[in-house]
Amino acid sequence: QVQLVESGGGLVQAGGSLRLSCAASGSIFSINDMGWYRQPPGKQRELVARVRSVGTTRYADSVKGRFAISMDRDKKTVYLQMNSLKPEDTAVYYCNADILWAGAPNGYDYWGQGTQVTVSS
């Protein structure tokens, strides 16, 4: 079995910072890429940022220059450093990973349980 466990959400004032972490566990062969999505209240889930195992990244336009994604391959962990937070960043943030393991040798998309980020004005 594979699990993604997120941490680091919380309440912060506008202009503040938070760092999210997501660790993958289980009998993992390799991880192709990892990312963060978010779902604001009453809206659809949207991409925030993704990072491939080779290091390439992509970001939603709304977070470019403020958020930074990184991955520690040895720890099977992805991080999202969020700076200059705005009230519109308020959402449940979900970790996502494309993971290869014995039960999915060609890879499978896994999701974390979500962590709440609330930015007050």
Side-chain angles (χ1 to χ4, degrees), residues 1-3 25-30 98-110:
Q1 291 289 345
V2 170
Q3 272 192 319
S25 63
S27 300
I28 295 170
F29 295 160
S30 65
D98 181 13
I99 295 175
L100 284 72
W101 66 291
N106 294 320
Y108 189 82
D109 227 21
Y110 290 89

Side-chain angles (χ1 to χ4, degrees), residues 12-86:
V12 64
Q13 287 189 330
S17 298
L18 282 175
R19 189 190 194 209
L20 304 182
S21 300
C22 172
S25 63
S27 300
I28 295 170
F29 295 160
S30 65
I31 300 177
N32 287 330
D33 54 38
M34 302 183 81
W36 291 94
Y37 290 72
R38 67 186 181 187
Q39 187 164 15
K43 296 184 179 181
Q44 291 187 331
R45 193 174 297 188
E46 61 185 14
L47 171 71
V48 177
R50 289 197 73 85
V51 57
R52 295 189 62 83
S53 60
V54 294
T56 54
T57 58
R58 64 183 175 112
Y59 295 90
D61 289 342
S62 59
V63 306
K64 283 180 181 177
R66 300 188 298 121
F67 290 11
I69 190 169
S70 60
M71 183 166 69
D72 185 325
R73 295 174 61 183
D74 292 337
K75 294 183 178 180
K76 300 182 180 63
T77 299
V78 64
Y79 305 95
L80 185 68
Q81 178 65 43
M82 304 186 293
N83 300 325
S84 302
L85 282 161
K86 304 174 181 180

Side-chain angles (χ1 to χ4, degrees), residues 6-12 18 20 36 38-41 82 87 89-94 113-119:
E6 300 139 336
S7 60
L11 173 64
V12 64
L18 282 175
L20 304 182
W36 291 94
R38 67 186 181 187
Q39 187 164 15
M82 304 186 293
D89 294 318
T90 295
V92 178
Y93 283 69
Y94 295 91
Q113 79 284 359
T115 185
Q116 178 70 45
V117 171
T118 302
V119 184

